[in-house]
Amino acid sequence: MAIPNDRVRFNVGGKIFETTATTLAIAGRDSYFGAMFDENWDLQNNPAGEHFIDRNPDCFSILLDLLRTGNLYIPPHVPQKLLYREAMFYGLMDHVRSAKWGQFDGNRLQPSNSVTGRAPGDGTAIRASPDGGCCVAHGSMVHIYDWMLEEHPPINLDYQRVNDAGWVGPVDPTALVISTCERLGRGQGGMGLFNSTTGELRYKFNVTHEGVAKSYTAGALSFSDGDKLFSSCKGRSNEYGIGVWDQNTGQQVDFFYEPPGWSLGDADKLQWLNGRNCLLVATLFPRKDNCYISLLDFRSKSMVWSWSDMWSPANSDDRRVRDAIAMEENSSICVVNEFEDLGFMDLRRDSGSVRWSSRSRLMKGKMPDEPCYPKLALHDGQLFSSMNDCISVFCGSDWVLTSRLRRSFGGSICDFSIGGDRLFALHSEENVFDIWETPPPPIV
């Protein structure tokens, strides 16, 4: 686009600024400054000679310099939240975020902040939102934080313990699904879709069996790209299995009943595999005495791949699997045991043994009296595994250990989550969570 190099004059809160149309165009069409250009990106005439904006001049100076240089420098006397508020007014939040932290890279992550919760211990889960915020499940409460780490009104589930939570997707960044336990003698339980900003319940996800709505416990969650929501379910009669709902309407569209001798309703982990159009379901120790991992195809109502440690020797590493994650590009499933050994299973075989990688072992000997079992995550070709108070990063075709992330405060890591170019780690002892970010690349 051809943009004239015309000078533009602003009066912001009584302070005069001058810049060029070329600099302002960097802000983009959807910004405050984008409205100053016509459809051909020619600067529209202003009879007043200057543009008056009744806003904070110090923040305007910082944001204007960001457009000029691509670099963000916030002087000590300017509160960050004030700058973020002004950036939202001008439509420059994406520019601020891009300058504040770079594209996610586990090997370059640095700690940026820590947030302490209101109550000690017993954090259930932490989940990153697509825009860089998060939610923390703590008992029957879910605490919501936006990407500026400002806390929104918490969601109180009336003494129903929270099992999992997750954002529906980028289309509606406020849509948060929460799964809870059924209350003994009270029914209820199940799942609901909430507005993460206001805490308002939009609708509940019901389970029906033979046309009758049932009370149930909802467990692990997963979302597909095709607007489907999956959850492990436990009912009082025959409602054991994996339920499927339409994310947009909340209507149940399918149910995969738990086959005899297998475990689905108690699943710790669900993961939708787009390439295979299947759902990974993993029920792991200590929730069950045995581990069960399977791939479900809802089109044929069949279990197309499965593995269990039921027939493994009692002293085998197979009997200590604590988490599992599917890696579609490698046609494999990665598992981790209580010593953070990584194991791999080939999805191209109907069933098979675990190939353990001893090179990944970071800890030997006994576990602590109250351990936080390891968790796994996969992001942009990097594998992450938590163990006690650190998170390990593995890369390459052989999954070589390349980095370790550790903070000294808060005790063991009970859960972590990646999203919005951030990693969130929830510690067990002090109910504190850390935020890790990748520094932006240097401006040349």
Side-chain angles (χ1 to χ4, degrees), residues 266 268 283-291 309 319-323 338 371-375:
D266 282 305
D268 302 83
T283 306
L284 307 163
F285 184 86
R287 189 180 297 271
K288 286 283 190 177
D289 291 336
N290 294 108
C291 301
D309 65 355
R319 300 297 295 268
R320 301 186 178 96
V321 171
R322 297 295 185 260
D323 200 5
E338 62 187 17
C372 285
Y373 293 121
K375 300 289 181 69

Side-chain angles (χ1 to χ4, degrees), residues 2-4 6 21 29 36-45:
I3 300 176
D6 296 331
R29 177 64 74 185
M36 299 170 60
F37 296 89
D38 63 20
E39 60 184 10
N40 297 318
W41 283 95
D42 292 323
L43 193 65
Q44 300 186 60
N45 184 43

Side-chain angles (χ1 to χ4, degrees), residues 10-87:
F10 290 95
N11 182 337
V12 182
K15 189 173 181 178
I16 303 300
F17 296 87
E18 284 194 1
T19 186
T20 65
T22 302
T23 297
L24 295 179
I26 295 173
R29 177 64 74 185
D30 295 332
S31 70
Y32 177 93
F33 305 109
M36 299 170 60
F37 296 89
D38 63 20
E39 60 184 10
N40 297 318
W41 283 95
D42 292 323
L43 193 65
Q44 300 186 60
N45 184 43
N46 179 22
E50 68 179 22
H51 301 268
F52 176 74
I53 308 176
D54 190 17
R55 305 293 295 190
N56 186 288
D58 292 336
C59 293
F60 185 88
S61 177
I62 296 170
L63 297 172
L64 183 59
D65 191 57
L66 171 62
L67 295 177
R68 287 168 173 158
T69 66
N71 204 358
L72 179 66
Y73 172 70
I74 306 176
H77 70 278
V78 177
Q80 286 197 26
K81 291 183 178 180
L82 174 62
L83 178 68
Y84 297 156
R85 185 191 68 187
E86 294 298 286

Side-chain angles (χ1 to χ4, degrees), residues 121-275:
D122 295 334
T124 305
I126 189 166
R127 296 290 180 264
S129 68
D131 64 356
C134 73
C135 70
V136 179
H138 189 275
S140 61
M141 301 284 290
V142 178
H143 299 274
I144 315 292
Y145 300 85
D146 61 25
W147 83 271
M148 294 179 285
L149 302 181
E150 289 189 338
E151 186 173 2
H152 292 273
I155 299 174
N156 188 337
L157 279 302
D158 189 25
Y159 302 103
Q160 299 171 84
R161 181 174 175 83
V162 176
N163 290 321
D164 202 355
W167 271 268
V168 169
V171 176
D172 184 357
T174 68
L176 177 67
V177 176
I178 300 174
S179 65
T180 64
C181 291
E182 178 185 13
R183 288 183 63 189
L184 186 63
R186 290 280 301 274
Q188 300 175 357
M191 293 187 301
L193 186 139
F194 295 81
N195 184 311
S196 62
T197 302
T198 65
E200 175 190 4
L201 174 64
R202 294 180 180 174
Y203 49 78
K204 297 185 69 174
F205 298 90
N206 294 317
V207 164
T208 58
H209 178 66
E210 296 180 348
V212 179
K214 298 288 187 174
S215 178
Y216 70 103
T217 289
L221 300 174
S222 183
F223 303 87
S224 76
D225 291 342
D227 297 329
K228 288 184 179 179
L229 164 65
F230 303 87
S231 176
S232 56
C233 302
K234 292 193 303 180
R236 298 184 182 181
S237 53
N238 196 34
E239 307 85 42
Y240 273 70
I242 306 297
V244 190
W245 292 264
D246 186 307
Q247 297 176 15
N248 300 313
T249 65
Q251 296 299 309
Q252 182 182 342
V253 296
D254 209 342
F255 199 93
F256 196 112
Y257 288 96
E258 181 176 289
W262 203 255
S263 179
L264 298 178
D266 282 305
D268 302 83
K269 181 77 163 280
L270 301 183
Q271 179 188 355
W272 178 252
L273 309 182
N274 286 314

